[in-house]
Amino acid sequence: MGVKGIRTALKVDLNKHARDQPGLHNRWHPDIPACGKIANNEVVKIECLDWTGGQIKNDDSAEDVRTVDLTEIHYLSGPFDVETAEPGDVLLVEIQDVQPFQDQPWGFTGVFAKENGGGFLDEIYPKAAKAIWDFEGIFCSSRHIPGVRFAGLIHPGILGCAPSAEVLAEWNRREGELIAANTVEGRIVAQPPQPQNAHAGNATEDIKEKIAKEGARTIPGRPEHGGNCDIKNLSRGSKVYLPVHVPGAKFSVGDLHFSQGDGEISFCGAIEMAGVITLKFSVIKNGMAKMGMKSPIFLPGPVEPQFGPGRYLTFEGFSVDENGKQHYLDATVAYRQTCLRVIEYLRRYGYSDYQIYLLLSCAPIQGHIAGIVDIPNACTTLGVPMDIFDFDIRPEAEVVKRDLGSCAFANQ
């Protein structure tokens, strides 16, 4: 008797607009109908578009990044009903494999324009920029950032189950309060439900209207269900324990990454790709109570690029910003300063600041909080793997400035 093959639970069409595909959605809401069923303990393959729904092209211009429509992004595959899953259970999702499509062996990293999405360093780097990465088996390289090659730690950016009506209402309540009390001048601090370009799979028209008005954007991760957490180490072999809030769990997945650095600092910062993910689903009955669980739990797998002891060049930053202003134990300010220290160091070799910004977003850098108690300064660190470069970046090595080309920019 032959071995039974793995079923593909959802196929996507790369040549059709995402909103015309009923197995996709871009809002979280309990009333989005399931696009299929998965048995308890079943292994399935699920195909995914890239998170922009195919808006970014393999070319040498960042015009598509500059004008990307952020009202219709984060298209997820699903939701799927997992048999026997009920509220209070835990859905164990084992990531067995993630791969790009064979006929689309490339991905992209982008810096969004400050006026359209922005990113972690957009006060300093406000222009749109892009790098295209070509995949060579487990490795990738870019014509827009020469001199670099590394193995991808391939993973999904988004895994989650649907919220209940009560959980969704709590999201909208607390995020609405944050929006109303916004004290961050010139910044959008959260996105309320936005009917424009909401896609609710194969829901009927009356349900689509309800979902469009109430549905939560998929951009942020949230404590009750995970969602868009962008954890680079959740690669092959990882286990994800997700709280179940609705019958069937209504599981969704998307935003596949070939590689990413800790923090994904440019917002469009991983090597974004379309592809297929292989998952095993198991239901743990009454798991939330058994585990004392309020938020997802992760068990990273054994797959990780190996750079060896002493092969990370590590930079530190503190909560004193570039204008000399002291902040109190602000790890965000500290991590921003850490990134700037790396940019200052690597530009000596011939890279532009935008090339380094893109690289720090998608290469397997190690970001950590080193100190969060020593008032007034939080301290963060960023480890850059030296072996991804084809030249020596050790501090004691001679610096030779090279012609390292350019990333793609918008026509502006």
Side-chain angles (χ1 to χ4, degrees), residues 208-393:
K208 282 183 180 179
E209 186 176 349
K210 181 174 187 283
I211 292 167
K213 290 179 179 178
E214 301 173 352
R217 298 298 304 273
T218 55
I219 294 172
R222 295 179 176 92
E224 292 85 354
H225 84 144
N228 189 29
C229 294
D230 292 319
I231 300 171
K232 70 175 175 55
N233 294 89
L234 291 184
S235 188
R236 290 162 290 181
S238 297
K239 294 182 177 181
V240 184
Y241 299 81
L242 297 171
V244 174
H245 297 287
V246 299
K250 288 193 172 178
F251 170 86
S252 299
V253 62
D255 188 25
L256 303 186
H257 299 163
F258 190 85
S259 178
Q260 181 201 297
D262 284 332
E264 198 190 6
I265 60 174
S266 76
F267 182 28
C268 185
I271 299 179
E272 310 285 351
M273 68 174 208
V276 57
I277 185 167
T278 306
L279 303 170
K280 180 179 180 181
F281 295 86
S282 304
V283 177
I284 302 173
K285 303 304 294 181
N286 199 30
M288 290 178 67
K290 289 177 180 177
M291 300 179 192
M293 177 191 283
K294 292 184 178 179
S295 298
I297 299 173
F298 307 101
L299 186 62
V303 178
E304 187 167 2
Q306 300 298 309
F307 296 109
R311 300 307 298 167
Y312 285 88
L313 187 58
T314 300
F315 299 78
E316 64 179 3
F318 296 89
S319 48
V320 178
D321 67 26
E322 58 273 16
N323 298 314
K325 181 179 178 180
Q326 179 73 64
H327 297 258
Y328 173 70
L329 295 182
D330 192 326
T332 300
V333 172
Y335 200 64
R336 187 175 288 116
Q337 293 304 305
T338 314
C339 295
L340 292 174
R341 299 295 85 78
V342 182
I343 290 172
E344 292 160 359
Y345 186 89
L346 290 179
R347 71 163 66 117
R348 304 175 306 150
Y349 298 96
Y351 289 119
S352 73
D353 287 17
Y354 277 90
Q355 286 176 303
I356 306 166
Y357 187 8
L358 289 162
L359 183 63
L360 294 184
S361 297
C362 66
I365 64 169
Q366 299 280 11
H368 297 286
I369 293 177
I372 201 71
V373 296
D374 298 319
I375 62 171
N377 276 328
C379 176
T380 62
T381 62
L382 192 157
V384 178
M386 295 188 288
D387 296 334
I388 69 175
F389 299 93
D390 64 8
F391 53 91
D392 194 346
I393 69 164

Side-chain angles (χ1 to χ4, degrees), residues 132-170:
I132 298 296
W133 297 85
D134 295 309
F135 305 148
E136 311 153 28
I138 65 170
F139 292 95
C140 64
S141 59
S142 173
R143 64 185 181 271
H144 296 125
I145 310 177
V148 172
R149 185 174 186 263
F150 53 86
L153 189 55
I154 192 167
H155 63 280
I158 301 177
L159 292 158
C161 298
S164 64
E166 294 76 16
V167 169
L168 176 61
E170 171 62 12

Side-chain angles (χ1 to χ4, degrees), residues 12-27:
V12 297
D13 188 340
L14 298 179
N15 298 310
K16 183 186 288 187
H17 197 287
R19 63 172 171 262
D20 297 326
Q21 303 191 47
L24 304 175
H25 64 98
N26 63 359
R27 298 292 189 271

